[in-house]
Amino acid sequence: MLSHLPSLGVGLGFRQPFKSDLFLNRQQVDFLEIVAEHYLDASWQKQQELELLAAHFPIIPHAINLSLGSAEGLDTDYLRKLAALIKQLNPPWWSEHICFTKAGGVDIGHLSPLPYTQEAVEVLCRNIASLRRWIDVPLILENITYMVTVPGAEMTEAQFLAEVVERSDCGLLLDITNLHTNAVNYGYDVHEFLQQLPCDRIVQLHFVGGHWHDGVLIDSHSQSTPVEVWQLMEEVVARVPVKGIILERDENLPPFAELTKELQKAREISRSYLC
């Protein structure tokens, strides 16, 4: 199923400040990724914005608050709204994070890591099976950054990601900036990490730069892409023909021309490995 997904090229995570420049540079942006929550319970203005974007670009919804790792199951009201948005856009795939954002009915406000255990795998797979009753569009799952590691691991993070996507029959949204950030902060080898992933499951990539704070690399989406992330991108696309690559820039926004330069560099890396 994943091999038959269309190749969308290189695109941008849409943020409202990009809107004017985006339409002045349409030929340099192949597709857009939207934060799904920005368009749930959308105002008339946001709905008009979404319709305008969808009329000119392929759109991939990227959800952040489904909380696939929550042991108590999924919020059906939220799921109903998300399903309606995805039906409206009819994308080739959509994405969420391998994490939890709610516990005991409380929204904790950030993407929290799961323990790397079989029990957590079971919870994720059960929730994914449940959401598929609402949404039949292919789902791809993203690796997150984390400031703490949860004790009790029964496997490595890479083995956990592999187990989740294989068992749930999902694709992988490999955030190579997140991978680089975690490797720096926790001292593991990114190349060994990649060797443990099922490369045929990688559908999409995220990339951007972060910043240092008190000796810790922060995934702030606030800087241009560092050389280490470009090298990781090259390593991944040399192994697998990914279907899409998205630049996620959220803070310290530069002139739009700087973003298009990064998009072009990603496009050149991707094209250099096309058969």
Side-chain angles (χ1 to χ4, degrees):
M1 179 180 66
L2 299 175
S3 63
H4 291 91
L5 294 176
S7 295
L8 298 186
V10 177
L12 189 63
F14 176 73
R15 306 295 183 262
Q16 206 281 329
F18 299 156
K19 188 173 178 181
S20 296
D21 285 320
L22 180 64
F23 282 95
L24 294 173
N25 295 271
R26 282 173 50 191
Q27 300 307 312
Q28 299 179 68
V29 181
D30 299 327
F31 74 111
L32 297 175
E33 182 183 78
I34 62 164
V35 175
E37 283 73 9
H38 292 173
Y39 301 93
L40 303 183
D41 295 319
S43 65
W44 178 84
Q45 291 86 353
K46 292 298 289 182
Q47 184 60 38
Q48 289 291 103
E49 176 182 84
L50 183 60
E51 291 175 4
L52 177 64
L53 296 175
H56 293 90
F57 299 93
I59 304 288
I60 298 296
H62 183 52
I64 60 175
N65 206 30
L66 186 54
S67 198
L68 288 173
S70 289
E72 61 262 39
L74 303 179
D75 180 334
T76 54
D77 288 337
Y78 172 95
L79 188 52
R80 184 180 297 108
K81 296 171 186 177
L82 180 62
L85 175 68
I86 293 172
K87 182 177 181 180
Q88 174 187 347
L89 292 171
N90 190 29
W93 68 82
W94 66 285
S95 59
E96 242 292 4
H97 303 81
I98 299 176
C99 72
F100 71 99
T101 61
K102 301 172 185 175
V106 177
D107 191 332
I108 59 180
H110 61 90
L111 308 179
S112 297
L114 295 161
Y116 303 140
T117 63
Q118 287 295 335
E119 183 178 9
V121 172
E122 294 293 339
V123 167
L124 285 162
C125 291
R126 183 169 64 245
N127 285 337
I128 290 167
S130 177
L131 74 84
R132 281 182 169 141
R133 302 187 191 106
W134 297 78
I135 303 169
D136 60 4
V137 174
L139 169 62
I140 65 174
L141 301 172
E142 181 180 356
N143 57 304
I144 68 167
T145 57
Y146 43 84
M147 298 306 294
V148 296
T149 53
V150 182
E154 300 168 356
M155 63 193 88
T156 67
E157 180 187 359
Q159 290 168 340
F160 180 75
L161 294 178
E163 181 84 0
V164 169
V165 296
E166 294 283 12
R167 287 273 306 279
S168 65
D169 194 25
C170 288
L172 181 60
L173 166 49
L174 182 61
D175 190 313
I176 51 178
T177 298
N178 289 354
L179 174 53
H180 168 66
T181 301
N182 291 338
V184 168
N185 290 335
Y186 295 97
Y188 63 73
D189 188 314
V190 291
H191 311 293
E192 291 181 6
F193 190 105
L194 288 173
Q195 290 285 352
Q196 296 180 68
L197 296 180
C199 286
D200 60 333
R201 293 272 174 187
I202 300 174
V203 173
Q204 185 184 320
L205 305 180
H206 276 170
F207 73 103
V208 72
H211 75 277
W212 288 92
H213 179 73
D214 290 341
V216 176
L217 184 56
I218 305 297
D219 174 38
S220 55
H221 298 187
S222 62
Q223 304 296 324
S224 60
T225 306
V227 62
E228 296 89 350
V229 172
W230 289 121
Q231 290 170 347
L232 269 178
M233 182 185 296
E234 188 159 359
E235 182 172 348
V236 173
V237 301
R239 297 185 185 190
V240 58
V242 299
K243 304 296 186 177
I245 302 175
I246 284 286
L247 171 60
E248 286 191 304
R249 188 68 179 262
D250 289 292
E251 298 181 12
N252 190 29
L253 300 179
F256 200 80
E258 292 186 24
L259 300 180
T260 59
K261 286 179 183 177
E262 292 201 67
L263 296 180
Q264 184 57 29
K265 183 169 182 176
R267 191 174 289 113
E268 290 168 359
I269 291 172
S270 179
R271 286 175 176 172
S272 67
Y273 289 97
L274 292 176
C275 297

